[in-house]
Amino acid sequence: YGMFDEFSYKEAQGKDIAIIGHGAFAVENVRSCCEYDSHQIYLICRRKNIACPRFVSWLCNQSLSPLSASLFLHAMKPMYDLVGYDVWDYYGVQGNASRTTCNIQQKARFGIGDVYFCAISWGKLEVIEDPEGVK
């Protein structure tokens, strides 16, 4: 458990790692496991939450006026295309068919970072989604 220095990531080096959940903390742990050269990372979750690429996070936080939810999702598209996911299909997104308007309501904070997307595209991270949860 990688919180409060209770886990030394050096122990993850070269090993297969399982991370439970898909919130912001799970996405951050993916980055840490990549930094410490874990062999393979498995992110196990009931459902995928929106992960936010670093540039899109910066864009949202630096804009003078709030971004629309649809612009927010469209800005993420290159990273989601990289990993073969469609963020518009996520449980937290309710939008129209033409994808011009939407509402985002998810129960976890956005994980922020590009390493999540890169790790999936490199084959280093596998996201295992099971609506029944961890057994």
Side-chain angles (χ1 to χ4, degrees), residues 20 44 130-135:
I20 309 299
I44 304 164
D130 185 345
E132 299 297 316
V134 177
K135 297 173 183 73

Side-chain angles (χ1 to χ4, degrees), residues 53-105:
R54 178 78 47 204
F55 171 75
V56 179
S57 173
W58 174 86
L59 181 65
C60 289
N61 289 299
Q62 298 302 315
S63 295
L64 294 176
S65 53
L67 298 181
S68 69
S70 62
L71 178 58
F72 180 68
L73 295 181
H74 285 300
M76 294 183 194
K77 188 173 180 351
M79 291 303 256
Y80 277 90
D81 286 349
L82 179 68
V83 299
Y85 295 165
D86 185 354
V87 71
W88 287 81
D89 290 337
Y90 281 39
Y91 84 95
V93 178
Q94 299 82 40
N96 64 356
S98 61
R99 298 183 172 192
T100 55
T101 61
C102 69
N103 183 32
I104 299 172
Q105 289 185 330

